[in-house]
Structures are given as C-alpha cells and as structure tokens.
Amino acid sequence: MPLFALEALTVDFRTDDGVLRAVDGVSLAVEAGEIVCLVGESGSGKSTVALAAMGLLPQPAGRVTSGAAWLDDDGARTDLVQAGERALARLRGRRLAMIFQDPMTSLNPYLTVGAQLSEVLELHEGLAHAAARARSTELLRQVGIPAPESRLDEHPHRLSGGMRQRVMIAMALACRPKLLFADEPTTALDVTVQAQILELLCRERDAVGCGILLITHDLGVVARVADRVAVMYAGRIVEAGPAREVLRRPRHPYTLALLRAVPRVDAEADAEALVAIPGAPPSPLALPTGCAFHPRCALAEARCRETRPEERRTPTAAGDVRLRCHVETSP
Ligand code: SF4
C-alpha cells in the first residue's frame, strides 16, 4: 500500500461561464521516501490536485466529483476526499503538510515567526510554550536561517522572500509530516536559494522517510530531485514513470515538447536549439475534441482529433511508463 494514492480523481469548478473540469481522472501514487514531481504548464490542473487532497479547494466553486485520495495513516487507509473537516484538521500538520509558492498564503502577517511556529507545535505536538520556542529555534536553524533566535520575534514582512519561504517550510516540517505537498516552492527564488531549498527537502525526505509530491513547471527541478514524474496536460496525466526514463526517453509528444523548450547546460551550442511549444494550453471550458494536445502536436493524426487516447503502459527496465497517446513514438 503506497503512502498516498490518487484514484481517478476528478475535480470540477463552477464558474459564471459553466462548469469546468480542472482535474480529469488523475491516478498517481507516492511511496514513503520518494519524491514524485507533477509537471505541466500553468492551468494544467497540477495545483488543484494537491488542494483537493488537502481539502483546500476554493469553496463553494471547487468540488471533487469522483475518485479518491488515499493516505496510509500508520496502516489505516483514510480517503482524504471523504474525510470530514475535523479529520483533515487532525491530519494536517501531523501527517500532511503543504508548502505554497507564496509564503504569505500560509504565514500570518500579524504574528511573529516564533508565535506561528510555536502555535503549530503546541497544537499538534502538545509542547509547552518554552519547549515549543526551543524547537522553533532549532527548526529555523535546520532550514538555514541565520541567528534563528532573534528571527523568532520578527514579523514575516521583515524577512526576505527566501527567508519567508524557509519559515513556511519550517512550519510545514515542524510535525515531521509523512506526506508533503510542495507547490512550486522555489519558483519565486533565486537559483542559490532554490538549490538550498531543494537540498533541504531531499534531506527531510532522507531523515524522516516522508513522501513528497512536488508540483513544478520547472524540468530542471524535476531532473534534480524526482524519483518519479507525472506530466499533466489539460487536467489529465499524459505520461508518468521513473524520472530518469521519462526525462531521457520521453515518449509523449507533450513531454518531448516541454523538454525541448528547456535550455540545457550540457547541450552543444546550436546542436539542440530551443523550440517553444506552439500555441497555448486550452481553456478547460473549451477543450479540443479527441486528444486535448492535438492543436499543438506535430504528430497529430485524424484519430487524434476524434478520440481521446486511453492510458496504456509501456514496460521499461526502470519500471512501467504510463502514456496517453495514439501514436507509438520510439524514445
Ligand atoms: Fe499528439 Fe495524437 Fe499523441 Fe495527442 S494522441 S499527443 S495529438 S500524437
């Protein structure tokens, strides 16, 4: 039983223009001690997957219409979709935590860093105030914040963006959660801080054996940390498998297009020119017929415009790769 498993998760949003399907039958597993990256352009539905599992979909517009999100809670399986708000509140922090791209989403601007960290530790770990403060100092030290004791008494706005991100990570890691959702945790940061934060997540994974679902549009991040990767397009997973296999031998035209659009430091000059993906991702309110990628796909055939590709599995030495494409592409 994996630590976390999505089973055909489907999420709809009610909008003024109608109901849009943001996530369409997504299945995905995260094992303990594993980093799984969910990649795709913005609007592909990847953030919605994590918000749905955390019970944090915007209300009343967002709704899980079918599927399940199973969490292995020390041998007991809990479906996070069916769990009520009280059960989710009990799991959040202790078992589940989420890191957002914008730290101010989860930091309270009116409370000091120390007060916010202590609150988490007192609430979920039952620590007394002095012990919570000592552990907060330790957590800030672990995430690389210099002079952590003095930072405890500062408000978030006094810290740099990188520091705020580290404070949010410290809060997320405070109760040593078993499963961590990290939504673009390094996108707004410079490359040095980005590298430090990725290293921190890998260290936590190694130390606690937690599973991490890392949501990113950055294939450089995926190449650095992912054990497995799932590529999303228009609400569906179009390719998923072991990260090395998917990155080295992409089989889906969209994965290949994403990889071709990323600069490579090891590519010889002019040998591998960058190729932008033509067009733009479709609106979920007006998805193309057949394969949603067909208007942008160089390999599209007549059947791609008519029939949605079903998922098929391709065995590889590193493990199965799941694909949704009509065309047999040789990696
Ligand atoms: Fe391209 Fe057709 Fe495959 Fe879709 S199904 S990715 S349009 S080849």
Side-chain angles (χ1 to χ4, degrees):
M1 174 165 62
L3 171 67
F4 175 66
L6 291 174
E7 277 176 12
L9 188 82
T10 298
V11 180
D12 286 351
F13 280 93
R14 258 200 334 258
T15 73
D16 291 343
D17 299 319
V19 175
L20 68 82
R21 180 142 294 178
V23 174
D24 189 358
V26 163
S27 295
L28 176 77
V30 181
E31 302 283 350
E34 178 179 64
I35 299 181
V36 176
C37 284
L38 195 53
V39 286
E41 292 163 287
S42 42
S44 59
K46 53 194 193 309
S47 298
T48 306
V49 167
L51 291 174
M54 287 288 285
L56 296 175
L57 284 174
Q59 293 300 314
R63 196 164 70 90
V64 175
T65 47
S66 60
W70 295 104
L71 176 73
D72 176 7
D73 188 9
D74 279 343
R77 280 180 106 207
T78 303
D79 180 3
L80 301 174
V81 170
Q82 298 299 333
E85 185 47 41
R86 270 179 64 177
L88 282 174
R90 187 179 56 81
L91 291 168
R92 284 190 211 118
R94 196 175 59 84
R95 291 280 178 235
L96 288 172
M98 184 153 180
I99 301 168
F100 297 90
Q101 179 180 351
D102 174 9
M104 294 315 274
T105 310
S106 45
L107 293 179
N108 184 331
Y110 301 109
L111 293 178
T112 62
V113 165
Q116 297 185 58
L117 271 165
S118 295
E119 187 183 316
V120 173
L121 292 161
E122 288 169 30
L123 186 71
H124 291 289
E125 301 282 282
L127 295 188
H129 185 70
R133 194 171 162 89
R135 172 101 174 97
S136 301
T137 309
E138 185 50 36
L139 278 164
L140 291 187
R141 185 173 292 117
Q142 277 172 13
V143 296
I145 291 190
E149 263 189 77
S150 60
R151 296 292 184 193
L152 286 180
D153 298 318
E154 290 190 0
H155 287 82
H157 71 268
R158 307 244 328 148
L159 306 177
S160 67
M163 288 243 216
R164 282 202 288 262
Q165 193 69 343
R166 286 166 201 242
V167 169
M168 187 172 54
I169 292 174
M171 281 179 66
L173 301 182
C175 304
R176 310 229 112 163
K178 284 275 174 355
L179 178 64
L180 188 62
F181 296 111
D183 188 0
E184 305 274 9
T186 59
T187 300
L189 306 174
D190 70 50
V191 280
T192 315
V193 182
Q194 181 181 81
Q196 289 166 352
I197 286 182
L198 291 176
E199 194 185 316
L200 180 68
L201 291 178
C202 290
R203 269 212 314 268
E204 190 66 15
R205 183 262 319 260
D206 296 340
V208 183
C210 59
I212 300 177
L213 183 66
L214 179 59
I215 294 159
T216 180
H217 66 278
D218 185 340
L219 287 166
V221 169
V222 179
R224 272 170 115 131
V225 301
D227 297 301
R228 285 187 303 120
V229 60
V231 181
M232 268 188 94
Y233 189 78
R236 306 185 100 194
I237 290 180
V238 294
E239 180 164 9
R244 285 167 72 93
E245 182 65 31
V246 172
L247 296 180
R248 285 188 182 172
R249 285 176 281 273
R251 290 164 171 83
H252 194 283
Y254 180 57
T255 314
L256 189 62
L258 282 178
L259 284 163
R260 284 199 175 138
V262 176
R264 282 180 47 187
V265 273
D266 60 336
E268 286 182 20
D270 298 331
E272 293 198 42
L274 293 184
V275 184
I277 308 176
S283 158
L285 280 166
L287 286 182
T289 55
C291 170
F293 188 55
H294 86 249
R296 308 173 75 189
C297 181
L299 301 182
E301 304 173 349
R303 60 180 164 164
C304 302
R305 288 181 273 278
E306 289 152 15
T307 318
R308 286 211 322 185
E310 292 303 322
E311 185 175 291
R312 60 189 162 87
R313 283 177 185 265
T314 302
T316 76
D320 282 4
V321 172
R322 291 157 48 198
L323 272 177
R324 279 183 196 275
C325 179
H326 289 307
V327 174
E328 208 53 66
T329 49
S330 42

